[in-house]
Amino acid sequence: MQIPQFEEIITPTDQTEARKASLEAISELVGNAYPNKFVRSTVTGTDDTITALKSFAPIVAVENEMAEIKAGLSEGERPPTEIKDAMNERLRALGTVRIAGRLTTPTRGNFVHLTDGISKFQVYCNKKGPLALVLNDGSDTLDEENGWKAWQLLDHGDFIGVEGYLFVTNTGEVSVHVEKLQFLVKAMRSMPDKMHGIADAELRQRQRYYDLIGSSLQVEHDGLTTREVFERRAKLIAGLRRYLEDHGYIEVETPMLTPKATGAAAKPFKTHHNALDIDLYARIAPELYLKRLVVGGFEKVYELNRNFRNEGISYKHNPEFTMLEFYCAYMDVNGMMNFCEELMRESVQKATGGLKVTYEGNEIDFARFERVTMKDAVAKYAPNLAVDDTNIVAAFDEHVEQNLIQPTFIIDYPKSISPLSKADPRDPQVAERFELFINGMEVANGFSELNDPKEQYERFVDQMVQREGGDEEAMVLDEDYIRALSYGMPPAAGIGIGVDRLVMLVTNKHSIRDVILFPHMRPERKGTSEEDN
RNA sequence: GGUCCGAUAGCUCAGUCGGUAGAGCAAAUGGCUUUUAACCAUUGGGUCCCUGGUUCGAGUCCAGGUCGGAUCACCA
């Protein structure tokens, strides 16, 4: 086995060497340069994160008042000392603060900013002191000389913890005047460009941590920072969960490793269980498991987790993607569309604060969802095309899909391509099924669930025949699912929602890889030709 | 998988007709020490993605490959 050397992973450069030297010098001053903890103050009432402190009302008030005063001053004129003194008295009354974070600016001079990844807080250090240096055992000594020495050994990107009092600067920024300095960890590599962040998409995705650092240090932004994209993603997902919980749905987890890959039309990943000596497949959909639970009496059930499909990668496809799937007993396809609209409205509102989002120049309005039959949609966008049951889906894909910008439910799918869906009572060739399209992307797929075990069996058999005929994505017969249905599944509607795509829409990201923290990529390879085996 | 585009310093990017490898930020050294992306001066830093070819000479031209991006196909 070839184990790479540390230096092969952390390739020495002038930057790493300089930082190594600075780390050694700091170790001489403080002992172990990797302390185990830093306890933050609770001036804000809770843990004083930088974000909490930055948005703390008394601090915001001082900054706002200073901004007003400064607006009345001429360029370069300093605010009156009495006013500043009064403010500083208010700030000092808040007590001693202890905050920690990453240095966002090189330490040339007395001022630096610390960030917690979201907000920045300014920190001031004066070599005239009083300044204490905290040693690794937590003890500290008043020692301006060593304290200032340590301060100057700090590098852009290091983590420090500081203790001190709050004051306002001439430019009106509330800052911490450092009285005690504790070194927390050294950043051994240089930080990203502060104006541009990480522009290289490959670097951004392979080293998301570096991208996140870069976006937190970056001075100016167009659109959301990487951090904000994933916070918005979390809010959207929390909103989805909240809405379902509030409406009586229960969250479950069904197998990711399954003996049969079925419940959707897709190619699976295959793996092997050694102890049982059986092949298993990463699930392509949780659908059939969730409906087994409806049989068992879970009337409202949902699962929000990953599906895996062994197919191409594109701006809207990642091999593993997050799907929200849920089922509701006694509901049909129309009830499900209504519920889906409300669910999306609530969640989008929670994530973005509104119902309208701008996506690649289009304004998408989640307030209105249209419902159009597939036949009418094709007739509208390809009026001169003669369509029948055999070519309508192809015609739809080719001529209609990319035109559906505003939220649109396409309804009345051919039954032949909907093997788990009930037929429309008015037309046996049509399925009670919809797909939701937004900005030309399929975002959701739902239907009235077929619950007649005999008919479901026959639909599976049709699929198996197509499979034999070479359609690798035709569904696999699941015998236990037929058995489950034979115990009786109440009428029910179900839906699958592509969460990543919904996140793309609310974050204005063109690529699914920008809304997945660690998207799938080919393994990195060294540029040399020496690798073999 | 097809087509098009790209890869140069830690990061962001220039590099003209094929003729000694460049800038800004970051880093080092010295100065400054209430500053708001970039204070001043000086210095160091390169497998120009890899392999091969053409040429007196290749970052630059050619071929093959690697990785990435866009797009098409398939899928959600």
Side-chain angles (χ1 to χ4, degrees):
Chain A
M1 183 166 61
Q2 279 229 323
I3 299 173
Q5 296 295 308
F6 182 76
E7 288 73 22
E8 292 176 58
I9 302 167
I10 312 301
T11 317
T13 64
D14 62 329
Q15 313 266 336
T16 61
E17 291 303 302
R19 284 160 185 267
K20 203 169 127 192
S22 129
L23 176 62
E24 280 161 10
I26 288 168
S27 301
E28 275 179 34
L29 293 175
V30 301
N32 179 10
Y34 292 89
N36 288 21
K37 68 168 180 178
F38 181 84
V39 179
R40 295 187 278 210
S41 55
T42 54
V43 165
T44 59
T46 60
D47 195 18
D48 286 339
T49 64
I50 282 165
T51 298
L53 202 62
K54 194 72 198 173
S55 50
F56 188 41
I59 290 173
V60 173
V62 166
E63 289 191 334
N64 287 343
E65 286 167 39
M66 272 298 257
E68 251 176 68
I69 290 161
K70 281 186 63 199
L73 298 176
S74 55
E75 184 99 5
E77 194 181 345
R78 292 187 169 183
T81 316
E82 324 79 78
I83 293 178
K84 247 182 71 179
D85 287 348
M87 285 179 179
N88 283 336
E89 219 165 290
R90 280 157 59 195
L91 290 169
R92 288 202 75 147
L94 295 173
T96 296
V97 297
R98 291 173 55 83
I99 59 169
R102 188 191 286 278
L103 265 77
T104 71
T105 38
T107 44
R108 290 264 157 181
N110 306 64
F111 285 98
V112 299
H113 281 87
L114 298 185
T115 178
D116 60 358
I118 303 169
S119 313
K120 296 173 186 174
F121 209 94
Q122 184 162 263
V123 165
Y124 173 80
C125 185
N126 192 326
K127 71 172 158 188
K128 294 187 191 108
L131 174 61
L133 183 60
V134 181
L135 305 181
N136 97 69
D137 62 4
S139 69
D140 61 78
T141 48
L142 207 56
D143 183 352
E144 278 83 19
E145 197 184 323
N146 281 338
W148 186 248
K149 217 182 266 177
W151 178 261
Q152 289 182 303
L153 286 166
L154 297 177
D155 285 307
H156 191 195
D158 291 356
F159 281 83
I160 59 169
V162 298
E163 176 179 317
Y165 58 88
L166 294 166
F167 73 106
V168 64
T169 64
N170 287 324
T171 51
E173 183 166 348
V174 173
S175 312
V176 178
H177 189 122
V178 182
E179 294 172 301
K180 289 181 186 174
L181 168 66
Q182 183 167 13
F183 180 78
L184 296 178
V185 77
K186 173 63 68 182
M188 297 302 292
R189 331 184 87 159
S190 64
M191 295 294 109
D193 187 290
K194 65 184 161 201
M195 292 308 288
H196 306 93
I198 304 296
D200 180 350
E202 181 176 0
L203 197 55
R204 250 185 8 234
Q205 290 160 12
R206 279 196 201 281
Q207 295 180 233
R208 185 66 81 189
Y209 41 89
Y210 197 35
D211 176 30
L212 285 164
I213 293 169
S215 74
S216 73
L217 302 185
Q218 205 175 329
V219 179
E220 288 166 5
H221 293 278
D222 292 331
L224 300 177
T225 66
T226 304
R227 172 65 173 252
E228 286 163 345
V229 166
F230 289 100
E231 284 182 351
R232 187 169 283 193
R233 180 181 172 117
K235 271 189 199 163
L236 182 89
I237 288 174
L240 293 168
R241 276 211 169 87
R242 168 71 67 81
Y243 191 82
L244 290 167
E245 298 281 340
D246 285 350
H247 286 78
Y249 285 79
I250 183 168
E251 181 168 13
V252 297
E253 290 149 286
T254 66
M256 296 259 179
L257 290 176
T258 60
K260 282 184 175 172
T262 188
K267 288 175 222 156
F269 287 93
K270 189 177 178 180
T271 185
H272 188 80
H273 189 284
N274 291 338
L276 297 179
D277 191 26
I278 51 168
D279 286 337
L280 290 172
Y281 300 89
R283 74 170 180 203
I284 56 175
E287 171 143 359
L288 301 189
Y289 284 105
L290 292 174
K291 284 192 279 192
R292 282 172 170 93
L293 297 177
V294 178
V295 169
F298 283 96
E299 293 184 353
K300 294 180 177 181
V301 66
Y302 76 98
E303 182 160 12
L304 202 170
N305 218 318
R306 235 67 65 77
N307 288 347
F308 306 87
R309 298 189 183 177
N310 205 342
E311 289 156 357
I313 294 173
S314 80
Y315 74 97
K316 53 180 171 176
H317 296 91
N318 195 57
E320 54 180 298
F321 63 100
T322 299
M323 174 93 106
L324 169 62
E325 230 178 79
F326 59 91
Y327 293 83
C328 182
Y330 312 115
M331 191 184 259
D332 75 353
V333 71
N334 295 305
M336 183 51 85
M337 280 189 280
N338 295 339
F339 187 84
C340 173
E341 281 190 34
E342 274 309 306
L343 169 72
M344 289 205 177
R345 270 196 275 275
E346 286 287 318
S347 315
V348 168
Q349 176 90 41
K350 278 214 166 61
T352 68
L355 286 177
K356 289 181 180 170
V357 303
T358 302
Y359 190 76
E360 296 182 342
N362 293 321
E363 186 178 79
I364 292 170
D365 188 356
F366 282 88
R368 291 205 331 276
F369 286 60
E370 288 201 48
R371 298 184 190 186
V372 185
T373 66
M374 183 173 272
K375 204 175 280 177
D376 288 348
V378 172
K380 179 175 174 188
Y381 290 102
N384 301 318
L385 208 65
V387 292
D388 55 36
D389 283 358
T390 60
N391 67 3
I392 190 167
V393 175
F396 175 82
D397 288 348
E398 189 177 343
H399 299 287
V400 182
E401 199 173 307
Q402 73 271 18
N403 293 308
L404 301 176
I405 303 302
Q406 295 305 318
T408 307
F409 289 110
I410 295 297
I411 56 175
D412 290 1
Y413 273 69
K415 194 179 80 174
S416 57
I417 58 160
S418 311
L420 302 169
S421 174
K422 262 188 176 158
D424 188 323
R426 295 160 306 172
D427 183 346
Q429 289 315 305
V430 167
E432 273 204 350
R433 174 182 175 189
F434 66 84
E435 287 193 359
L436 172 63
F437 291 86
I438 308 176
N439 203 69
M441 278 193 302
E442 185 189 339
V443 172
N445 175 18
F447 37 87
S448 300
E449 304 297 336
L450 180 57
N451 60 349
D452 173 346
K454 185 73 196 307
E455 187 181 351
Q456 183 66 76
Y457 168 76
E458 284 159 3
R459 301 268 200 105
F460 272 138
V461 170
D462 281 349
Q463 290 286 309
M464 295 300 272
V465 170
Q466 287 177 37
R467 223 181 148 74
E468 287 296 306
D471 181 357
E472 282 182 83
E473 293 180 356
M475 246 176 247
V476 174
L477 169 66
D478 186 331
E479 294 161 46
D480 178 67
Y481 179 63
I482 301 295
R483 180 166 61 188
L485 287 186
S486 71
Y487 285 94
M489 180 172 82
I495 188 173
I497 296 174
V499 173
D500 309 287
R501 289 183 179 178
L502 202 51
V503 176
M504 286 165 70
L505 292 169
V506 300
T507 56
N508 195 18
K509 288 293 174 190
H510 175 71
S511 171
I512 199 168
R513 308 159 78 72
D514 287 330
V515 302
I516 292 174
L517 282 167
F518 300 100
H520 175 78
M521 298 187 96
R522 280 198 169 80
E524 254 182 295
R525 285 178 64 179
K526 290 276 154 61
T528 53
S529 55
E530 67 192 319
E531 91 270 357
D532 38 347
N533 80 329

